[in-house]
Amino acid sequence: MRIISLCVEGIHQAAQRGLYDWLADQDADIICLQDLRAQEYELDGDPFQLDGYFAYFFDSGIKHYNGVAIYTRQQPKALIYGLGFSSGVDMEGRYLQVDFEQISVGSLLAPSARSENESQEVKIQFFDDMQAHLHKITRKRREFIFCGNWAMAHKREDVQNWQDNDSVSGFLPHEQQWMKQLFSQVGYTDAFRRGNTDKDEYTWWPSGTVGNGDGWRTDYQVISDSLANRVEYATTYKNKEFSSHLPLIVDYDLEVY
């Protein structure tokens, strides 16, 4: 099973840059996109409806703000919009999940605290709620794959020139600690690092241009620990730019259908 995830920073712009032509050639089973900056009614037609896929979207209800999508070759048993947080931030076009028989796949766009609409306090509350949710669902007889822009880097090796960025949102000490707990205590694994140990692997450039300035690795496929040994291969696609994020491609030894 191949899953591709990408933070597109505007689905119309990414489409103009050839995203859908590229996706059509990738033989992915599931595609998760984030930061669509479009409303669902805008995406009912070419090129946003990929041949051979069921397409699902969740927008924020606010023009040009957030939005996530999932494309899947097999029709899911259920769709889940949002995560049920009391703050309601998760319902701002930030999370969409498809459920199959034993596995759920989510497309996640976390608050970045880098815009006027997203304060650091909102981000902290979101991830406090997220941690509680992740703890809760580990008791379910179900495996999870959370794909998306988590707006945080895990280790020093995940931020180019980390010394210059440890006071910046996304690599603050408490954010590094949150990611450490996620991958060591809560019961989840960084799928990319299971399939790729290369250094200098980044997925996002805050400058807005891939390769310009410091690179960060903030895009993940976070999987249940029980799936860790099912990761066969992981890479980022670098040959063409669709946004300031790179597509993340992970192959799993799985048949979810």
Side-chain angles (χ1 to χ4, degrees):
M1 178 182 71
R2 169 167 290 184
I3 297 181
I4 295 176
S5 53
L6 172 63
C7 184
V8 297
E9 298 179 319
I11 192 63
H12 292 283
Q13 173 183 268
Q16 291 171 357
R17 294 179 175 181
L19 173 63
Y20 283 91
D21 292 334
W22 178 75
L23 288 173
D25 292 334
Q26 298 311 301
D27 195 29
D29 296 281
I30 298 173
I31 300 163
C32 296
L33 305 179
Q34 305 86 39
D35 200 10
L36 305 186
R37 304 180 188 178
Q39 294 180 278
E40 184 173 355
Y41 74 85
E42 299 177 61
L43 308 176
D44 186 19
D46 292 336
F48 308 109
Q49 301 292 324
L50 271 171
D51 287 345
Y53 291 87
F54 295 91
Y56 305 100
F57 307 99
F58 182 35
D59 65 49
S60 66
I62 303 172
K63 194 172 183 180
H64 306 315
Y65 184 62
N66 295 348
V68 289
I70 299 180
Y71 295 85
T72 172
R73 289 192 183 277
Q74 182 72 20
Q75 188 171 16
K77 297 185 66 174
L79 294 172
I80 296 176
Y81 297 85
L83 292 153
F85 296 169
S86 59
S87 67
V89 173
D90 57 304
M91 294 301 291
E92 297 174 349
R94 293 195 181 279
Y95 185 76
L96 176 63
Q97 178 177 304
V98 290
D99 288 352
F100 301 100
E101 192 66 38
Q102 298 295 331
I103 293 180
S104 296
V105 179
S107 186
L108 172 73
L109 177 64
S112 68
R114 287 173 175 259
S115 73
E116 61 183 22
N117 297 319
E118 301 172 354
S119 67
Q120 190 65 37
E121 289 72 23
V122 167
K123 185 177 182 181
I124 289 171
Q125 184 60 57
F126 180 90
F127 278 105
D128 284 348
D129 291 340
M130 188 68 181
Q131 188 172 75
H133 176 76
L134 292 172
H135 272 294
K136 179 180 177 180
I137 63 174
T138 55
R139 298 192 291 269
K140 294 181 177 288
R141 294 181 179 178
R142 174 168 289 277
E143 295 164 317
F144 291 88
I145 301 175
F146 298 98
C147 304
N149 179 5
W150 290 67
M152 293 193 294
H154 181 199
K155 297 179 179 180
R156 292 176 177 179
E157 65 194 57
D158 299 318
V159 179
Q160 199 170 13
N161 299 318
W162 65 266
Q163 302 95 326
D164 299 330
N165 289 289
D166 60 0
S167 61
V168 178
S169 181
F171 200 56
L172 298 172
H174 73 269
E175 293 176 321
Q176 296 177 53
Q177 181 63 27
W178 195 95
M179 296 299 285
K180 180 179 179 181
Q181 289 178 337
L182 174 65
F183 294 132
S184 64
Q185 300 176 24
V186 184
Y188 295 87
T189 294
D190 178 353
F192 181 80
R193 283 300 180 208
R194 290 292 298 190
N196 190 319
T197 59
D198 293 345
K199 301 294 184 181
D200 300 325
E201 286 284 349
Y202 308 113
T203 65
W204 174 58
W205 281 260
S207 69
T209 302
V210 172
N212 182 19
D214 293 341
W216 293 52
R217 192 171 72 90
T218 58
D219 302 86
Y220 297 85
Q221 292 188 24
V222 174
I223 62 177
S224 301
D225 280 348
S226 56
L227 296 177
N229 291 331
R230 299 294 189 95
V231 177
E232 294 184 321
Y233 174 76
T235 191
T236 56
Y237 178 74
K238 304 179 178 70
N239 292 342
K240 192 169 184 180
E241 298 173 23
F242 306 113
S243 71
S244 66
H245 294 252
L246 296 179
L248 180 59
I249 305 169
V250 182
D251 290 344
Y252 299 89
D253 180 19
L254 282 173
E255 293 290 341
V256 298
Y257 312 134

